[in-house]
Amino acid sequence: MDAFSPLQPGELEFIEKYRSDMVDLPAGAQIIPEHRTSARLFTLYAGWAFRYKTLTDGRRQILNFLLPGDFIGLQEEFADGATPGVEAVTPVRLCVFARDGLWPLFREYPSLGYDITWLAAREEQWVDHHLVTAGRRNAMERVAMLLIHLYRRAERVGMAQDGAVPFPFNQQHIADALGLSLVHTNKTLRRLQAHGLHSLVDGRLRLLAPRSLERMADYFERPLRRSPLI
Amino acid sequence: MDAFSPLQPGELEFIEKYRSDMVDLPAGAQIIPEHRTSARLFTLYAGWAFRYKTLTDGRRQILNFLLPGDFIGLQEEFADGATPGVEAVTPVRLCVFARDGLWPLFREYPSLGYDITWLAAREEQWVDHHLVTAGRRNAMERVAMLLIHLYRRAERVGMAQDGAVPFPFNQQHIADALGLSLVHTNKTLRRLQAHGLHSLVDGRLRLLAPRSLERMADYFERPLRRSPLI
DNA sequence: CGGTAGATTGAGAGTCCTCAAGCTCTGTGG
DNA sequence: CCACAGAGCTTGAGGACTCTCAATCTACCG
């Protein structure tokens, strides 16, 4: 697919060997439970998921969203403290890798190690992005930002059809990603919709006025680059 | 130093070869200007800095803080869009590496590539951490969290003396890191101080009631691990 | 036909923001 | 030696944005 870089000779074979399994999980499943380090790494092959952290009183913050092609569980390898959880939003299919195969991968195929670093850096960029949103944008701007962000990412991996992408999240997900309350998220969403900026019907998102949304959100990302795939 | 892992034979020599220069910059200098990709990578050798992004109307969000040992500029290598800026808080000393030496490093010393991935993952953890703070904690909790976080990190690299660490930031820095206004940051800081939880005198931070601060901030990080150094 | 998850709406309260002014400290120049 | 300017800190007041509480509504399912 156009979204991903081609692999070098030998790399695919190594990945196949490294991959220990293929797993399907239902919507809502904990791919990696919070605070628990998993002995496995994953590549999300199909479906949607998100990384999150919760405070002891239950407040939850979604750190970023995971789409097909995203690598899961790298942070846990190097974690100092509490590790985030990873939860499936839709049914997901995962490629499973043994965690202790990570170092051999770097050693034998440095190019794949480099790719993993790329993926880690890209993921951090998205968290950076969300931190700016949560820290310095108001509710209207936050929601606009998230809608554009998710649309573009879904589009990038070929999910767009007729100007719409799947949108499997409920309003609680949006609220937890943006640092807003559920109620205020709802009101903001309705307000944007009333302005004719987007539509959200039958689990599909359509940006009706992308330029207005971008202006409102102060969105300034360039087109997403082709990324490596492990 | 105890905070960093020992290097393997050969690694140090390679790093020395890879390093192209050593640079000193004054407080306030832009180590990497925002939106500009630098042809160089850095390791912060001495001093304090931070990564940040700004919106077009000037609102600024500090993404994380950089202390000695931190690697700078990796995200830019893989950036899709606008890259964050990096600014010195105090005078800093930097080890400079050519960006195009990164791939040879992975190829010739996979162990160092692995270390860089470690550093990237650790940095993302901190951004995760700050995102939870900005998204789901109130002002009191945010400030408490930041004070503990910076204290622990400074302590980890040997900056603690007599129960105090250097604190070179002004209240605008704190506000921009936490997603608060300057005024509210000030009031919150004073309130914490009035409760006897911390002291901030002559640019030195002291946690007077670390347990209370941790409880207030819902802090649950374990001791920081030894980290690799490039 | 209840039961549940999710969406929606209104009302009141509270946190946090903006505006504005004054204060302290430091460095500079007359 | 003192006036002055600038950066950073502090405080008060009013208002705006966002939150919590509570109730209603819809869609879907067994």
Side-chain angles (χ1 to χ4, degrees), chain A residues 51 56 59-60 75 77-78 80 114 117-118 123-125 128 136 141 175-176 180 218 225, chain B residues 51 56 59-60 75 77-78 80 114 117-118 123-125 128 136 141 175-176 180 218 225:
Chain A
R51 298 196 312 122
T56 55
R59 283 175 284 180
R60 181 175 74 167
Q75 294 73 33
E77 176 69 14
F78 306 107
D80 276 323
Y114 191 79
T117 305
W118 170 307
E123 182 163 299
E124 181 184 335
Q125 281 178 58
D128 286 351
R136 286 301 183 203
E141 297 166 341
D176 288 344
L180 295 172
D218 201 28
R225 290 208 300 193
Chain B
R51 296 196 313 121
T56 55
R59 283 175 282 179
R60 182 175 74 168
Q75 295 73 33
E77 176 69 15
F78 306 108
D80 274 325
Y114 191 79
T117 305
W118 169 308
E123 182 164 298
E124 181 183 335
Q125 281 177 59
D128 287 350
R136 286 301 183 203
E141 296 166 341
D176 287 344
L180 295 172
D218 200 29
R225 290 207 299 191

Side-chain angles (χ1 to χ4, degrees), chain B:
Chain B
M1 186 190 298
D2 174 56
F4 302 106
S5 328
L7 288 166
Q8 302 303 313
E11 291 182 347
L12 181 59
E13 289 70 22
F14 184 84
I15 293 174
E16 293 290 345
K17 188 160 65 74
Y18 177 29
R19 183 173 74 203
S20 60
D21 207 354
M22 201 85 168
V23 163
D24 287 295
L25 291 175
Q30 301 296 315
I31 298 172
I32 299 178
E34 201 179 357
H35 306 306
R36 193 106 41 89
T37 58
S38 156
R40 305 185 300 177
L41 298 166
F42 308 91
T43 291
L44 185 55
Y45 183 81
W48 300 67
F50 61 86
R51 296 196 313 121
Y52 69 95
K53 272 172 174 274
T54 55
L55 301 183
T56 55
D57 66 359
R59 283 175 282 179
R60 182 175 74 168
Q61 177 67 41
I62 290 181
L63 303 170
N64 69 346
F65 294 100
L66 302 168
L67 274 72
D70 286 335
F71 198 67
I72 299 176
L74 190 63
Q75 295 73 33
E76 284 77 3
E77 176 69 15
F78 306 108
D80 274 325
T83 54
V86 181
E87 181 177 319
V89 179
T90 63
V92 294
R93 168 162 292 187
L94 302 158
C95 301
V96 184
F97 305 99
R99 184 175 291 284
D100 55 19
L102 187 62
W103 163 235
L105 178 144
F106 270 77
R107 192 182 50 215
E108 293 175 33
Y109 278 89
S111 58
L112 293 179
Y114 191 79
D115 286 347
I116 284 183
T117 305
W118 169 308
L119 292 173
R122 184 182 62 164
E123 182 164 298
E124 181 183 335
Q125 281 177 59
W126 283 328
V127 182
D128 287 350
H129 196 70
H130 291 138
L131 177 52
V132 175
T133 298
R136 286 301 183 203
R137 283 186 240 254
N138 64 31
M140 210 78 153
E141 296 166 341
R142 291 187 208 189
V143 174
M145 181 47 101
L146 189 63
L147 295 178
I148 302 174
H149 174 78
L150 289 174
Y151 187 94
R152 296 268 185 266
R153 287 190 58 189
E155 184 182 37
R156 188 72 187 91
V157 293
M159 287 180 167
Q161 275 181 27
D162 308 321
V165 300
F167 194 88
F169 306 103
N170 61 31
Q171 298 186 350
Q172 188 66 61
H173 289 125
I174 303 177
D176 287 344
L178 297 177
L180 295 172
S181 71
L182 175 61
V183 173
H184 201 61
T185 299
N186 175 285
K187 289 174 180 171
T188 307
L189 224 28
R190 308 243 72 235
R191 199 131 56 100
L192 281 181
Q193 202 169 49
H195 284 253
L197 297 179
H198 77 284
S199 89
L200 200 40
V201 188
D202 292 336
R204 296 187 68 78
L205 168 65
R206 190 181 301 273
L207 305 186
L208 299 176
R211 289 294 159 276
S212 301
L213 281 169
E214 288 180 3
R215 217 172 319 113
M216 171 176 292
D218 200 29
Y219 183 92
F220 42 63
E221 299 298 311
R222 284 179 271 146
L224 304 180
R225 290 207 299 191
R226 184 177 289 211
S227 78
L229 179 64
I230 303 293

Side-chain angles (χ1 to χ4, degrees), chain A residues 31-42 51-53 63 66 71-86 99 102 123, chain B residues 118 121-122 124-125 128 222 225:
Chain A
I31 298 171
I32 299 178
E34 202 179 356
H35 305 306
R36 193 106 41 89
T37 59
S38 156
R40 304 186 299 176
L41 299 166
F42 308 91
R51 298 196 312 122
Y52 68 95
K53 273 172 172 275
L63 303 170
L66 302 168
F71 198 66
I72 301 177
L74 190 64
Q75 294 73 33
E76 284 76 2
E77 176 69 14
F78 306 107
D80 276 323
T83 54
V86 181
R99 184 175 292 284
L102 188 61
E123 182 163 299
Chain B
W118 169 308
R122 184 182 62 164
E124 181 183 335
Q125 281 177 59
D128 287 350
R222 284 179 271 146
R225 290 207 299 191

